[in-house]
Amino acid sequence: MGFGDDYIINPLKYALSNIKALLIFAILEFIPLAMFLIMLVAIVTPFSQSAFDMGQMSPESLIMLMFSLGVGFVIFLFIGIIIDLIVSIFLKGYIMKILSTTINGEQKLPEWENWKELFYKGFVFFIGTVILNLVFFFINMGFGIIDYMSVFFFSYSDMGIFALFVSIIVFFFKLVLSIIQAIYTPLALSNYAYTEEFKGFFEVKKIFKMMSLNWLAVLIVAVIVVLIIELPLYALIVFAIIFGIITESVTLAVVLGIVGILYASITLPLVSIYMYRCYGTYYKKTNEELEYCDLKE
């Protein structure tokens, strides 16, 4: 198959190959948003119901009301974070399953089963990405320290131009680091899904061998496809903001917001599956080439 089949048509068909699995993915992704909306209603409703009596309330009663709302918000926020984390781990476990089944050559979106394994792999996914992000964060922070030190020592001296030169160089390295992180992380996730070993996140030599202009093209095409799919959502947001400012219509803003949430609930799971299918497809092809080269040597 050609590039378009591998990274546009096939991944989109794959995302729609199991509607039941896609709907479960969508429902789980919607839970954090639903929790936020429930929290918003739970906090705003008692406040709005008490607003009419606030003018007649004593300072002590008003403080007690605000304290109760604050405590309720903190408790609900804590519960929401825990639920969001658990759901996120299951979603990450399913993403690992998408990657591993793609690398193994399967053409249908996998079922949601063996939840214990999904949780375990999702937890490893979470820990691995946290460590990777920390590594890149500390490298980035190191560049920032170099930039700060050059400004501190040279900006108020005759060598101010040197500080500017260092800042430009640091900015360039930070930009390169961000690009490396963006192209390294998907391959690291795919490598873990293939090897099922935690060290798969950090097999730097192997992962760097997989990087190529073709991989960069895959990422660019995937991002363009995602932007096209989400374009109606962005247009809806812009329209709601502009029309809301012009007409000051709260009702219309709410209706458009609900439509936007429904559209996002359908398309975000679709583009997530699409993206990881692209990652897995590229990893499969490149890994087979690397293994073939190793055998020839």
PDB file of all heavy atoms in Angstrom, residues 36-64:
ATOM      1  N   PHE A  36     -16.371  17.479  35.480  1.00  0.00           N
ATOM      2  CA  PHE A  36     -16.177  18.928  35.581  1.00  0.00           C
ATOM      3  C   PHE A  36     -17.521  19.657  35.528  1.00  0.00           C
ATOM      4  O   PHE A  36     -17.766  20.588  36.308  1.00  0.00           O
ATOM      5  CB  PHE A  36     -15.276  19.408  34.443  1.00  0.00           C
ATOM      6  CG  PHE A  36     -15.178  20.909  34.330  1.00  0.00           C
ATOM      7  CD1 PHE A  36     -14.401  21.632  35.226  1.00  0.00           C
ATOM      8  CD2 PHE A  36     -15.878  21.587  33.340  1.00  0.00           C
ATOM      9  CE1 PHE A  36     -14.314  23.018  35.136  1.00  0.00           C
ATOM     10  CE2 PHE A  36     -15.803  22.966  33.245  1.00  0.00           C
ATOM     11  CZ  PHE A  36     -15.021  23.684  34.148  1.00  0.00           C
ATOM     12  N   LEU A  37     -18.407  19.231  34.608  1.00  0.00           N
ATOM     13  CA  LEU A  37     -19.710  19.878  34.482  1.00  0.00           C
ATOM     14  C   LEU A  37     -20.556  19.669  35.735  1.00  0.00           C
ATOM     15  O   LEU A  37     -21.231  20.595  36.201  1.00  0.00           O
ATOM     16  CB  LEU A  37     -20.447  19.331  33.248  1.00  0.00           C
ATOM     17  CG  LEU A  37     -19.804  19.643  31.887  1.00  0.00           C
ATOM     18  CD1 LEU A  37     -20.555  18.934  30.767  1.00  0.00           C
ATOM     19  CD2 LEU A  37     -19.779  21.151  31.643  1.00  0.00           C
ATOM     20  N   ILE A  38     -20.499  18.455  36.297  1.00  0.00           N
ATOM     21  CA  ILE A  38     -21.241  18.174  37.532  1.00  0.00           C
ATOM     22  C   ILE A  38     -20.711  19.032  38.677  1.00  0.00           C
ATOM     23  O   ILE A  38     -21.483  19.595  39.470  1.00  0.00           O
ATOM     24  CB  ILE A  38     -21.139  16.673  37.889  1.00  0.00           C
ATOM     25  CG1 ILE A  38     -21.888  15.824  36.855  1.00  0.00           C
ATOM     26  CG2 ILE A  38     -21.694  16.403  39.290  1.00  0.00           C
ATOM     27  CD1 ILE A  38     -21.650  14.336  37.006  1.00  0.00           C
ATOM     28  N   MET A  39     -19.382  19.143  38.753  1.00  0.00           N
ATOM     29  CA  MET A  39     -18.773  19.964  39.799  1.00  0.00           C
ATOM     30  C   MET A  39     -19.195  21.426  39.648  1.00  0.00           C
ATOM     31  O   MET A  39     -19.506  22.096  40.635  1.00  0.00           O
ATOM     32  CB  MET A  39     -17.251  19.854  39.729  1.00  0.00           C
ATOM     33  CG  MET A  39     -16.519  20.675  40.778  1.00  0.00           C
ATOM     34  SD  MET A  39     -14.712  20.485  40.675  1.00  0.00           S
ATOM     35  CE  MET A  39     -14.402  21.310  39.112  1.00  0.00           C
ATOM     36  N   LEU A  40     -19.228  21.903  38.409  1.00  0.00           N
ATOM     37  CA  LEU A  40     -19.611  23.290  38.146  1.00  0.00           C
ATOM     38  C   LEU A  40     -21.043  23.549  38.603  1.00  0.00           C
ATOM     39  O   LEU A  40     -21.329  24.544  39.276  1.00  0.00           O
ATOM     40  CB  LEU A  40     -19.469  23.583  36.649  1.00  0.00           C
ATOM     41  CG  LEU A  40     -19.529  25.046  36.218  1.00  0.00           C
ATOM     42  CD1 LEU A  40     -18.372  25.829  36.823  1.00  0.00           C
ATOM     43  CD2 LEU A  40     -19.514  25.159  34.708  1.00  0.00           C
ATOM     44  N   VAL A  41     -21.946  22.620  38.252  1.00  0.00           N
ATOM     45  CA  VAL A  41     -23.348  22.765  38.653  1.00  0.00           C
ATOM     46  C   VAL A  41     -23.493  22.670  40.166  1.00  0.00           C
ATOM     47  O   VAL A  41     -24.224  23.443  40.796  1.00  0.00           O
ATOM     48  CB  VAL A  41     -24.215  21.691  37.963  1.00  0.00           C
ATOM     49  CG1 VAL A  41     -25.638  21.700  38.527  1.00  0.00           C
ATOM     50  CG2 VAL A  41     -24.239  21.910  36.459  1.00  0.00           C
ATOM     51  N   ALA A  42     -22.760  21.721  40.780  1.00  0.00           N
ATOM     52  CA  ALA A  42     -22.846  21.510  42.219  1.00  0.00           C
ATOM     53  C   ALA A  42     -22.371  22.725  43.007  1.00  0.00           C
ATOM     54  O   ALA A  42     -22.874  23.023  44.090  1.00  0.00           O
ATOM     55  CB  ALA A  42     -22.036  20.282  42.618  1.00  0.00           C
ATOM     56  N   ILE A  43     -21.395  23.442  42.472  1.00  0.00           N
ATOM     57  CA  ILE A  43     -20.855  24.618  43.164  1.00  0.00           C
ATOM     58  C   ILE A  43     -21.698  25.857  42.894  1.00  0.00           C
ATOM     59  O   ILE A  43     -22.012  26.629  43.796  1.00  0.00           O
ATOM     60  CB  ILE A  43     -19.389  24.865  42.746  1.00  0.00           C
ATOM     61  CG1 ILE A  43     -18.508  23.692  43.170  1.00  0.00           C
ATOM     62  CG2 ILE A  43     -18.862  26.157  43.356  1.00  0.00           C
ATOM     63  CD1 ILE A  43     -18.478  23.408  44.649  1.00  0.00           C
ATOM     64  N   VAL A  44     -22.089  26.026  41.636  1.00  0.00           N
ATOM     65  CA  VAL A  44     -22.800  27.251  41.248  1.00  0.00           C
ATOM     66  C   VAL A  44     -24.235  27.265  41.752  1.00  0.00           C
ATOM     67  O   VAL A  44     -24.740  28.305  42.196  1.00  0.00           O
ATOM     68  CB  VAL A  44     -22.783  27.411  39.708  1.00  0.00           C
ATOM     69  CG1 VAL A  44     -23.690  28.562  39.283  1.00  0.00           C
ATOM     70  CG2 VAL A  44     -21.367  27.655  39.232  1.00  0.00           C
ATOM     71  N   THR A  45     -24.901  26.096  41.728  1.00  0.00           N
ATOM     72  CA  THR A  45     -26.325  26.058  42.090  1.00  0.00           C
ATOM     73  C   THR A  45     -26.600  26.552  43.506  1.00  0.00           C
ATOM     74  O   THR A  45     -27.426  27.449  43.689  1.00  0.00           O
ATOM     75  CB  THR A  45     -26.881  24.632  41.907  1.00  0.00           C
ATOM     76  OG1 THR A  45     -26.721  24.248  40.541  1.00  0.00           O
ATOM     77  CG2 THR A  45     -28.355  24.584  42.284  1.00  0.00           C
ATOM     78  N   PRO A  46     -25.951  26.006  44.547  1.00  0.00           N
ATOM     79  CA  PRO A  46     -26.234  26.524  45.893  1.00  0.00           C
ATOM     80  C   PRO A  46     -25.855  27.984  46.051  1.00  0.00           C
ATOM     81  O   PRO A  46     -26.489  28.727  46.783  1.00  0.00           O
ATOM     82  CB  PRO A  46     -25.381  25.630  46.808  1.00  0.00           C
ATOM     83  CG  PRO A  46     -24.350  25.031  45.931  1.00  0.00           C
ATOM     84  CD  PRO A  46     -24.984  24.906  44.591  1.00  0.00           C
ATOM     85  N   PHE A  47     -24.788  28.386  45.342  1.00  0.00           N
ATOM     86  CA  PHE A  47     -24.368  29.782  45.420  1.00  0.00           C
ATOM     87  C   PHE A  47     -25.438  30.697  44.829  1.00  0.00           C
ATOM     88  O   PHE A  47     -25.784  31.732  45.395  1.00  0.00           O
ATOM     89  CB  PHE A  47     -23.047  29.965  44.677  1.00  0.00           C
ATOM     90  CG  PHE A  47     -22.473  31.351  44.798  1.00  0.00           C
ATOM     91  CD1 PHE A  47     -21.772  31.718  45.929  1.00  0.00           C
ATOM     92  CD2 PHE A  47     -22.675  32.278  43.789  1.00  0.00           C
ATOM     93  CE1 PHE A  47     -21.254  33.006  46.051  1.00  0.00           C
ATOM     94  CE2 PHE A  47     -22.169  33.561  43.901  1.00  0.00           C
ATOM     95  CZ  PHE A  47     -21.455  33.924  45.036  1.00  0.00           C
ATOM     96  N   SER A  48     -25.993  30.293  43.665  1.00  0.00           N
ATOM     97  CA  SER A  48     -27.003  31.116  43.014  1.00  0.00           C
ATOM     98  C   SER A  48     -28.306  31.120  43.806  1.00  0.00           C
ATOM     99  O   SER A  48     -29.001  32.122  43.867  1.00  0.00           O
ATOM    100  CB  SER A  48     -27.260  30.603  41.597  1.00  0.00           C
ATOM    101  OG  SER A  48     -27.709  29.263  41.624  1.00  0.00           O
ATOM    102  N   GLN A  49     -28.631  29.979  44.454  1.00  0.00           N
ATOM    103  CA  GLN A  49     -29.842  29.918  45.259  1.00  0.00           C
ATOM    104  C   GLN A  49     -29.740  30.784  46.504  1.00  0.00           C
ATOM    105  O   GLN A  49     -30.734  31.315  46.998  1.00  0.00           O
ATOM    106  CB  GLN A  49     -30.107  28.460  45.675  1.00  0.00           C
ATOM    107  CG  GLN A  49     -30.550  27.580  44.504  1.00  0.00           C
ATOM    108  CD  GLN A  49     -30.683  26.127  44.891  1.00  0.00           C
ATOM    109  OE1 GLN A  49     -30.203  25.707  45.960  1.00  0.00           O
ATOM    110  NE2 GLN A  49     -31.331  25.354  44.048  1.00  0.00           N
ATOM    111  N   SER A  50     -28.520  30.964  46.996  1.00  0.00           N
ATOM    112  CA  SER A  50     -28.320  31.769  48.200  1.00  0.00           C
ATOM    113  C   SER A  50     -28.080  33.235  47.876  1.00  0.00           C
ATOM    114  O   SER A  50     -28.064  34.072  48.778  1.00  0.00           O
ATOM    115  CB  SER A  50     -27.116  31.231  48.992  1.00  0.00           C
ATOM    116  OG  SER A  50     -27.288  29.865  49.290  1.00  0.00           O
ATOM    117  N   ALA A  51     -27.869  33.522  46.580  1.00  0.00           N
ATOM    118  CA  ALA A  51     -27.511  34.891  46.211  1.00  0.00           C
ATOM    119  C   ALA A  51     -28.603  35.886  46.571  1.00  0.00           C
ATOM    120  O   ALA A  51     -28.326  37.036  46.923  1.00  0.00           O
ATOM    121  CB  ALA A  51     -27.211  34.958  44.716  1.00  0.00           C
ATOM    122  N   PHE A  52     -29.880  35.436  46.514  1.00  0.00           N
ATOM    123  CA  PHE A  52     -30.978  36.343  46.801  1.00  0.00           C
ATOM    124  C   PHE A  52     -31.016  36.731  48.272  1.00  0.00           C
ATOM    125  O   PHE A  52     -31.520  37.787  48.634  1.00  0.00           O
ATOM    126  CB  PHE A  52     -32.304  35.672  46.411  1.00  0.00           C
ATOM    127  CG  PHE A  52     -32.411  35.382  44.943  1.00  0.00           C
ATOM    128  CD1 PHE A  52     -32.250  34.088  44.475  1.00  0.00           C
ATOM    129  CD2 PHE A  52     -32.660  36.394  44.023  1.00  0.00           C
ATOM    130  CE1 PHE A  52     -32.349  33.813  43.116  1.00  0.00           C
ATOM    131  CE2 PHE A  52     -32.751  36.120  42.663  1.00  0.00           C
ATOM    132  CZ  PHE A  52     -32.600  34.827  42.212  1.00  0.00           C
ATOM    133  N   ASP A  53     -30.480  35.881  49.139  1.00  0.00           N
ATOM    134  CA  ASP A  53     -30.532  36.142  50.579  1.00  0.00           C
ATOM    135  C   ASP A  53     -29.249  36.738  51.118  1.00  0.00           C
ATOM    136  O   ASP A  53     -29.148  37.001  52.314  1.00  0.00           O
ATOM    137  CB  ASP A  53     -30.816  34.820  51.327  1.00  0.00           C
ATOM    138  CG  ASP A  53     -32.113  34.174  50.850  1.00  0.00           C
ATOM    139  OD1 ASP A  53     -33.062  34.930  50.561  1.00  0.00           O
ATOM    140  OD2 ASP A  53     -32.153  32.945  50.763  1.00  0.00           O
ATOM    141  N   MET A  54     -28.246  36.933  50.253  1.00  0.00           N
ATOM    142  CA  MET A  54     -26.951  37.376  50.735  1.00  0.00           C
ATOM    143  C   MET A  54     -27.009  38.762  51.377  1.00  0.00           C
ATOM    144  O   MET A  54     -26.281  39.046  52.321  1.00  0.00           O
ATOM    145  CB  MET A  54     -25.927  37.378  49.591  1.00  0.00           C
ATOM    146  CG  MET A  54     -25.346  36.015  49.321  1.00  0.00           C
ATOM    147  SD  MET A  54     -24.009  36.079  48.121  1.00  0.00           S
ATOM    148  CE  MET A  54     -23.476  34.381  48.188  1.00  0.00           C
ATOM    149  N   GLY A  55     -27.896  39.590  50.819  1.00  0.00           N
ATOM    150  CA  GLY A  55     -27.988  40.936  51.374  1.00  0.00           C
ATOM    151  C   GLY A  55     -28.501  40.948  52.804  1.00  0.00           C
ATOM    152  O   GLY A  55     -28.243  41.889  53.565  1.00  0.00           O
ATOM    153  N   GLN A  56     -29.243  39.910  53.187  1.00  0.00           N
ATOM    154  CA  GLN A  56     -29.814  39.837  54.527  1.00  0.00           C
ATOM    155  C   GLN A  56     -29.002  38.946  55.466  1.00  0.00           C
ATOM    156  O   GLN A  56     -29.347  38.794  56.636  1.00  0.00           O
ATOM    157  CB  GLN A  56     -31.259  39.298  54.444  1.00  0.00           C
ATOM    158  CG  GLN A  56     -32.147  40.146  53.523  1.00  0.00           C
ATOM    159  CD  GLN A  56     -33.515  39.518  53.324  1.00  0.00           C
ATOM    160  OE1 GLN A  56     -33.790  38.443  53.828  1.00  0.00           O
ATOM    161  NE2 GLN A  56     -34.379  40.218  52.590  1.00  0.00           N
ATOM    162  N   MET A  57     -27.935  38.333  54.926  1.00  0.00           N
ATOM    163  CA  MET A  57     -27.144  37.406  55.739  1.00  0.00           C
ATOM    164  C   MET A  57     -26.159  38.167  56.611  1.00  0.00           C
ATOM    165  O   MET A  57     -25.623  39.207  56.211  1.00  0.00           O
ATOM    166  CB  MET A  57     -26.384  36.419  54.839  1.00  0.00           C
ATOM    167  CG  MET A  57     -27.292  35.459  54.084  1.00  0.00           C
ATOM    168  SD  MET A  57     -26.364  34.386  52.944  1.00  0.00           S
ATOM    169  CE  MET A  57     -25.434  33.410  54.120  1.00  0.00           C
ATOM    170  N   SER A  58     -25.904  37.618  57.780  1.00  0.00           N
ATOM    171  CA  SER A  58     -24.890  38.183  58.667  1.00  0.00           C
ATOM    172  C   SER A  58     -23.511  37.835  58.139  1.00  0.00           C
ATOM    173  O   SER A  58     -23.366  36.873  57.370  1.00  0.00           O
ATOM    174  CB  SER A  58     -25.051  37.624  60.082  1.00  0.00           C
ATOM    175  OG  SER A  58     -24.790  36.232  60.085  1.00  0.00           O
ATOM    176  N   PRO A  59     -22.492  38.608  58.512  1.00  0.00           N
ATOM    177  CA  PRO A  59     -21.128  38.290  58.050  1.00  0.00           C
ATOM    178  C   PRO A  59     -20.712  36.865  58.394  1.00  0.00           C
ATOM    179  O   PRO A  59     -20.051  36.192  57.604  1.00  0.00           O
ATOM    180  CB  PRO A  59     -20.263  39.319  58.771  1.00  0.00           C
ATOM    181  CG  PRO A  59     -21.176  40.464  59.024  1.00  0.00           C
ATOM    182  CD  PRO A  59     -22.523  39.855  59.286  1.00  0.00           C
ATOM    183  N   GLU A  60     -21.129  36.399  59.603  1.00  0.00           N
ATOM    184  CA  GLU A  60     -20.757  35.041  60.018  1.00  0.00           C
ATOM    185  C   GLU A  60     -21.399  34.000  59.101  1.00  0.00           C
ATOM    186  O   GLU A  60     -20.767  33.013  58.705  1.00  0.00           O
ATOM    187  CB  GLU A  60     -21.189  34.782  61.464  1.00  0.00           C
ATOM    188  CG  GLU A  60     -20.431  35.602  62.493  1.00  0.00           C
ATOM    189  CD  GLU A  60     -20.978  37.024  62.615  1.00  0.00           C
ATOM    190  OE1 GLU A  60     -22.010  37.327  61.960  1.00  0.00           O
ATOM    191  OE2 GLU A  60     -20.366  37.821  63.349  1.00  0.00           O
ATOM    192  N   SER A  61     -22.691  34.220  58.759  1.00  0.00           N
ATOM    193  CA  SER A  61     -23.381  33.272  57.876  1.00  0.00           C
ATOM    194  C   SER A  61     -22.783  33.276  56.484  1.00  0.00           C
ATOM    195  O   SER A  61     -22.657  32.235  55.842  1.00  0.00           O
ATOM    196  CB  SER A  61     -24.875  33.623  57.804  1.00  0.00           C
ATOM    197  OG  SER A  61     -25.472  33.559  59.073  1.00  0.00           O
ATOM    198  N   LEU A  62     -22.413  34.471  56.019  1.00  0.00           N
ATOM    199  CA  LEU A  62     -21.813  34.579  54.691  1.00  0.00           C
ATOM    200  C   LEU A  62     -20.467  33.856  54.643  1.00  0.00           C
ATOM    201  O   LEU A  62     -20.165  33.143  53.681  1.00  0.00           O
ATOM    202  CB  LEU A  62     -21.638  36.053  54.328  1.00  0.00           C
ATOM    203  CG  LEU A  62     -21.110  36.345  52.915  1.00  0.00           C
ATOM    204  CD1 LEU A  62     -22.059  35.771  51.868  1.00  0.00           C
ATOM    205  CD2 LEU A  62     -20.931  37.842  52.716  1.00  0.00           C
ATOM    206  N   ILE A  63     -19.674  34.025  55.693  1.00  0.00           N
ATOM    207  CA  ILE A  63     -18.380  33.331  55.767  1.00  0.00           C
ATOM    208  C   ILE A  63     -18.578  31.827  55.809  1.00  0.00           C
ATOM    209  O   ILE A  63     -17.866  31.065  55.138  1.00  0.00           O
ATOM    210  CB  ILE A  63     -17.590  33.806  57.010  1.00  0.00           C
ATOM    211  CG1 ILE A  63     -17.153  35.267  56.824  1.00  0.00           C
ATOM    212  CG2 ILE A  63     -16.363  32.921  57.236  1.00  0.00           C
ATOM    213  CD1 ILE A  63     -16.539  35.876  58.063  1.00  0.00           C
ATOM    214  N   MET A  64     -19.584  31.369  56.576  1.00  0.00           N
ATOM    215  CA  MET A  64     -19.868  29.934  56.663  1.00  0.00           C
ATOM    216  C   MET A  64     -20.291  29.369  55.315  1.00  0.00           C
ATOM    217  O   MET A  64     -19.887  28.270  54.923  1.00  0.00           O
ATOM    218  CB  MET A  64     -20.973  29.682  57.697  1.00  0.00           C
ATOM    219  CG  MET A  64     -21.286  28.208  57.927  1.00  0.00           C
ATOM    220  SD  MET A  64     -19.830  27.270  58.503  1.00  0.00           S
ATOM    221  CE  MET A  64     -19.602  27.999  60.135  1.00  0.00           C
TER     222      MET A  64
END
